[in-house]
Amino acid sequence: RKEVEQDPGPFNVPEGATVAFNCTYSNSASQSFFWYRQDCRKEPKLLMSVYSSGNEDGRFTAQLNRASQYISLLIRDSKLSDSATYLCVVNRGTGGFKTIFGAGTRLFVKA
Amino acid sequence: NAGVTQTPKFQVLKTGQSMTLQCAQDMNHNSMYWYRQDPGMGLRLIYYSASEGTTDKGEVPNGYNVSRLNKREFSLRLESAAPSQTSVYFCASSEVWRGANYGYTFGSGTRLTVV
């Protein structure tokens, strides 16, 4: 079993739809969590950190459930430009060398 | 503001050839990393450097070597390329403060094919 698991998708949604991605992690000692976005043939870019209390950035909402060991990303009012792969990232502990990347969930938003 | 710059962007090698991937960051980050990304798999850490003068193995170090030349530069060397090293390679840097990682900045990647 992978330490960080994501549904690979693809998710195909129409513009304006709300879409949610989940990510599960197996190491209960994980301390910090992030969502990255990766466009086709490009480098990953930090989308947002995920805080215990949940956090929102415009149309994007991230939540953490430590008890069930999963994080989620909700995208409201999807835009064509949201089409990308979304990577779940978990830090097992301090420092970058304990960072685990999920394989990503592909999203296609269609007109 | 260049961020993380890596070269080359594309490379084709024959089995057994060697090459060095170059990476430089201008964000004054202490920590730098080399990852590879293969289809259907997450990014896998090859080597990292927590600070200038130190390097450590990651998840998949076999067949690679690294050099942290100074605070800005971190290079990855393939001594004898193998087809299994065909991949997309990303260099990254990050701010680590009081042991907590505040997110990576990635270079644009190197697409390497070994034939």
Side-chain angles (χ1 to χ4, degrees), chain A residues 19-50:
Chain A
V19 60
F21 307 134
N22 284 335
C23 167
T24 59
Y25 60 95
S26 60
N27 191 319
S28 60
S30 298
Q31 296 185 351
S32 55
F33 310 87
F34 305 88
W35 284 101
Y36 281 71
R37 171 196 168 120
Q38 186 173 22
D39 292 303
C40 188
R41 302 179 73 83
K42 298 288 188 180
E43 72 274 21
K45 293 184 178 179
L46 179 63
L47 179 64
M48 58 197 303
S49 302
V50 186

Side-chain angles (χ1 to χ4, degrees), chain A residues 50-70:
Chain A
V50 186
Y51 303 121
S52 296
S53 55
N55 49 298
E56 189 173 304
D57 183 2
R59 297 182 293 108
F60 298 83
T61 300
Q63 293 195 312
L64 167 64
N65 185 319
R66 285 191 183 272
S68 300
Q69 295 182 200
Y70 77 83

Side-chain angles (χ1 to χ4, degrees), chain A residues 2 32 34 36 38 40-46 49 87 89 91 93-103, chain B residues 10 33 35 37 40-43 45 48 50 90 94 96 98-109 111:
Chain A
K2 294 180 181 177
S32 55
F34 305 88
Y36 281 71
Q38 186 173 22
C40 188
R41 302 179 73 83
K42 298 288 188 180
E43 72 274 21
K45 293 184 178 179
L46 179 63
S49 302
L87 308 177
V89 181
N91 281 347
T94 57
F97 46 88
K98 298 183 179 67
T99 300
I100 308 297
F101 284 79
Chain B
F10 302 93
Y33 315 84
Y35 284 89
Q37 187 175 38
M41 306 186 73
L43 286 153
L45 183 65
Y48 67 96
F90 288 103
S94 72
V96 178
R98 291 187 177 180
N101 191 308
Y102 285 85
Y104 292 83
T105 300
F106 286 88
S108 58
R111 297 186 174 275

Side-chain angles (χ1 to χ4, degrees), chain B residues 6-8 19-23 34 74-78 89 110 112:
Chain B
Q6 62 179 104
T7 57
M19 77 163 295
T20 300
L21 282 64
Q22 307 286 353
C23 176
W34 277 104
F74 188 39
S75 62
L76 178 72
R77 183 162 179 81
L78 286 70
Y89 292 84
T110 297
L112 174 67

Side-chain angles (χ1 to χ4, degrees), chain A residues 96-111:
Chain A
F97 46 88
K98 298 183 179 67
T99 300
I100 308 297
F101 284 79
T105 297
R106 295 200 70 184
L107 171 66
F108 293 103
V109 181
K110 55 186 186 295

